[in-house]
Amino acid sequence: MRYTYRPSVLRDLSPRELRRLIRNNQWDKPTAGLAPGYAQANLVILPFEYAFDFLLFCQRNPKPCPLLEVLEPGDYHTHFLAPRSDIRTDIPKYVIYRKGTLEAMVNDITDLWQKDLVTFLIGCSFSFEEALIKASIPMRHIEEKKNVPMYVTNIECRPAGIFHGPMVVSMRPLPQDKIVDAIVITSRFRAVHGAPVHIGNPEAIGIHRINKPDFGDKVTIKKGEVPVFWACGVTPQAVVMKAKPHLCITHAPGHMFISDIRNEDLAR
Amino acid sequence: MRYTYRPSVLRDLSPRELRRLIRNNQWDKPTAGLAPGYAQANLVILPFEYAFDFLLFCQRNPKPCPLLEVLEPGDYHTHFLAPRSDIRTDIPKYVIYRKGTLEAMVNDITDLWQKDLVTFLIGCSFSFEEALIKASIPMRHIEEKKNVPMYVTNIECRPAGIFHGPMVVSMRPLPQDKIVDAIVITSRFRAVHGAPVHIGNPEAIGIHRINKPDFGDKVTIKKGEVPVFWACGVTPQAVVMKAKPHLCITHAPGHMFISDIRNEDLAR
């Protein structure tokens, strides 16, 4: 039997309770706003033959690819992020790519599991946004109920093996008098993209049309506000797609892994 | 022809000049005190079959194993730490281990090089010690012209594949009124072990004889001083030896790789 939960009910559930609903296919929607205070993670699953290169890519590019946890080949249980979880079922929606082409979106990848698959869980900006909001720094895309605008830059990631490509950034417009606080606060959150990569001049990082984001939605930039750019977790996904591995499984955009780790515990 | 350089002459040489002397076998002694201001790195070289596990071990244990640079399989040129260097010749002394047993100490590993070797360069406490000394925090082992005392603890590293074992720590006795500063300063140096792992009670981390270090030398702990413990780069070496890979090459203790990166650039 399939239940529909209203977000207001879901908001009171613990990460563990939410993962159980998701596992039982009772929630297959985006996870933004669920389990406030707890870190959510991006998912990339690759066959072992690509795992060293991808792990090295993340090591070389910690701002766009901050690793929260990497599982042993074949393992589908997280140990650090959530001791009682199954990565094959505990994400609301998965995307299956073969040779860089989207093949299917599914709610469960148990049937697809192979002994050689390596799971990478990557930090997400939800964690630092919570800290910014607590510090009275406004998040325009949340106010406007949109996805954060994202842009492909001219900043090349440091390549590793078969993986290479430009950094993708997210943008949040901030009033001048909030910029320093926003940098200081996010610099503490290295596990979730850390300090911004650029402030103020989109052209300087190859962004020519600030009102035409490559991913997500356009947001209002008010007079006197400055666009601030953070490295974005879409970077590793774009880089993996470009490398066309024979198999890659990711979370569907916005349908993240909900962990038992508090955001604040990532600020160390 | 072989030259002998006095340390007073060496101290004025740039990292690049020092690496050239080392490459030409004109310096095969420890590197402590050379190229002040520049980061030095620990070396671990392993065949590719062990590389994913070891990279994962470092990812899971960033305090004892802070990676400064990992090279692509077969590559012997560093790109980040020093653009014009050769890892096969630019370290004053190497140790060759086969199945965990010391086979030889050599000045050059060019003849041993194989296409499948992966080089890991790991941060070293020399970098944060410099920052502590600049902040007028005394380093007892330097005052007493000794090696820093190191201890095997009861803190288990997070295992990865074939690699597991306890964390090794270094100890520096500090006056009470310097402890907070020492924590704040070293917390900025995540790339070189970061903040301490323990303060004050050696027994709590399984150290029963503070005057009998497992590695390095005993140092004086003056009345009122507190022992402060940092994760130590000997940890990955101990863990690798325990796993008995068929081949492993490391630097000889104290004979480090001298990089072109300033210590201060690691505090970001």
Side-chain angles (χ1 to χ4, degrees):
Chain A
M1 191 189 289
R2 190 181 178 92
Y3 297 91
T4 304
Y5 287 84
R6 275 172 306 159
S8 58
V9 175
L10 288 174
R11 221 169 283 138
D12 295 332
L13 298 182
S14 71
R16 194 180 165 189
E17 290 165 332
L18 286 163
R19 290 196 303 273
R20 198 182 55 226
L21 285 190
I22 290 166
R23 189 177 312 145
N24 296 335
N25 289 323
Q26 293 173 305
W27 182 261
D28 62 0
K29 305 246 167 333
T31 52
L34 299 185
Y38 291 92
Q40 299 197 14
N42 298 293
L43 175 76
V44 174
I45 298 176
L46 286 167
F48 183 71
E49 63 187 281
Y50 308 108
F52 177 77
D53 281 1
F54 189 66
L55 185 52
L56 188 56
F57 185 84
C58 295
Q59 191 273 326
R60 290 182 177 169
N61 299 282
K63 278 199 164 185
C65 314
L67 289 171
L68 293 177
E69 182 166 10
V70 182
L71 306 187
E72 306 270 325
D75 193 5
Y76 41 78
H77 295 298
T78 62
H79 302 273
F80 168 68
L81 288 176
R84 293 178 214 81
S85 76
D86 185 328
I87 212 67
R88 304 169 304 175
T89 54
D90 290 5
I91 282 178
K93 203 175 283 178
Y94 301 83
V95 191
I96 322 293
Y97 294 91
R98 305 245 184 214
K99 295 186 180 157
T101 302
L102 193 156
E103 183 186 77
M105 295 181 85
V106 297
N107 300 123
D108 188 311
I109 55 165
T110 307
D111 290 348
L112 275 167
W113 196 258
Q114 301 168 190
K115 271 195 221 161
D116 72 331
L117 293 181
V118 181
T119 296
F120 298 82
L121 291 151
I122 297 171
C124 156
S125 56
F126 290 173
S127 299
F128 75 67
E129 287 182 348
E130 188 185 70
L132 293 173
I133 291 165
K134 279 187 185 166
S136 304
I137 296 173
M139 294 287 98
R140 183 63 34 74
H141 63 286
I142 296 177
E143 289 169 2
E144 296 186 345
K145 294 191 169 49
K146 291 176 175 172
N147 286 320
V148 72
M150 292 166 272
Y151 307 84
V152 178
T153 68
N154 64 8
I155 305 168
E156 274 300 307
C157 292
R158 293 173 64 201
I162 62 166
F163 298 110
H164 62 93
M167 192 187 295
V168 179
V169 295
S170 59
M171 187 277 286
R172 293 162 187 80
L174 296 183
Q176 287 274 2
D177 64 353
K178 297 288 188 188
I179 294 174
V180 171
D181 281 354
I183 296 169
V184 171
I185 291 167
T186 56
S187 74
R188 292 172 51 222
F189 286 84
R190 279 159 194 267
V192 286
H193 304 306
V197 293
H198 184 77
I199 290 167
N201 180 8
E203 297 274 344
I205 55 171
I207 299 170
H208 303 294
R209 295 185 300 176
I210 198 75
N211 287 325
K212 298 272 185 197
D214 296 298
F215 311 98
D217 302 315
K218 174 190 161 182
V219 298
T220 309
I221 303 178
K222 296 181 187 166
K223 205 179 162 188
E225 285 183 339
V226 176
V228 182
F229 299 90
W230 276 269
C232 175
V234 167
T235 311
Q237 292 211 7
V239 159
V240 168
M241 292 311 105
K242 202 168 171 177
K244 300 191 196 313
H246 66 77
L247 174 64
C248 175
I249 303 169
T250 70
H251 65 290
H255 298 65
M256 321 286 282
F257 180 74
I258 301 172
S259 85
D260 290 342
I261 300 287
R262 289 189 173 274
N263 290 324
E264 199 53 36
D265 289 334
L266 298 175
R268 287 181 184 169
Chain B
M1 191 188 292
R2 190 181 179 93
Y3 297 92
T4 303
Y5 287 86
R6 274 172 307 158
S8 59
V9 174
L10 289 173
R11 221 170 283 137
D12 294 332
L13 298 182
S14 72
R16 193 179 167 190
E17 290 165 332
L18 285 163
R19 289 196 304 272
R20 199 182 54 227
L21 283 191
I22 290 166
R23 188 177 312 144
N24 296 335
N25 289 325
Q26 293 172 308
W27 181 261
D28 63 359
K29 304 245 169 330
T31 51
L34 299 186
Y38 290 93
Q40 300 196 11
N42 298 293
L43 174 77
V44 174
I45 299 175
L46 286 167
F48 184 71
E49 64 188 280
Y50 309 107
F52 177 78
D53 281 1
F54 190 65
L55 185 52
L56 188 54
F57 185 85
C58 294
Q59 191 272 327
R60 290 182 177 168
N61 298 282
K63 279 199 162 184
C65 314
L67 289 171
L68 292 177
E69 182 165 10
V70 182
L71 305 188
E72 306 270 326
D75 194 5
Y76 41 77
H77 294 298
T78 63
H79 303 273
F80 169 69
L81 288 176
R84 293 179 212 82
S85 76
D86 186 328
I87 213 67
R88 303 170 305 175
T89 53
D90 289 6
I91 282 178
K93 203 176 283 178
Y94 302 83
V95 190
I96 321 293
Y97 295 90
R98 304 243 184 217
K99 296 187 179 158
T101 302
L102 193 156
E103 184 187 77
M105 294 181 84
V106 298
N107 300 123
D108 188 310
I109 56 165
T110 307
D111 290 347
L112 275 167
W113 196 256
Q114 302 168 190
K115 271 195 218 161
D116 72 331
L117 293 180
V118 181
T119 296
F120 299 82
L121 292 151
I122 298 172
C124 156
S125 56
F126 290 173
S127 299
F128 75 67
E129 287 182 348
E130 187 185 73
L132 293 172
I133 291 165
K134 278 186 184 166
S136 305
I137 297 173
M139 294 287 99
R140 183 64 34 76
H141 63 286
I142 296 176
E143 291 170 359
E144 296 186 344
K145 295 190 168 49
K146 291 175 176 173
N147 286 320
V148 72
M150 291 165 271
Y151 307 85
V152 178
T153 68
N154 63 8
I155 305 168
E156 274 300 307
C157 292
R158 293 174 65 201
I162 63 165
F163 298 109
H164 61 92
M167 190 187 295
V168 179
V169 295
S170 58
M171 188 278 287
R172 293 162 187 81
L174 295 183
Q176 287 275 3
D177 64 353
K178 298 288 189 188
I179 294 174
V180 171
D181 281 354
I183 296 169
V184 171
I185 290 167
T186 55
S187 74
R188 292 171 52 223
F189 286 85
R190 280 160 193 266
V192 286
H193 305 306
V197 292
H198 184 77
I199 290 167
N201 178 8
E203 297 274 343
I205 55 171
I207 299 171
H208 303 296
R209 295 185 300 176
I210 198 73
N211 287 325
K212 298 272 185 198
D214 296 300
F215 311 100
D217 301 315
K218 175 189 160 181
V219 297
T220 309
I221 304 179
K222 295 181 188 167
K223 206 180 162 187
E225 285 183 340
V226 176
V228 182
F229 299 91
W230 276 268
C232 174
V234 167
T235 311
Q237 292 212 6
V239 159
V240 168
M241 291 312 106
K242 202 169 170 176
K244 301 192 194 313
H246 66 77
L247 173 65
C248 176
I249 303 169
T250 71
H251 66 290
H255 298 65
M256 321 287 283
F257 180 73
I258 301 172
S259 84
D260 290 341
I261 300 288
R262 290 190 172 272
N263 289 324
E264 199 53 35
D265 288 333
L266 298 175
R268 286 184 186 168

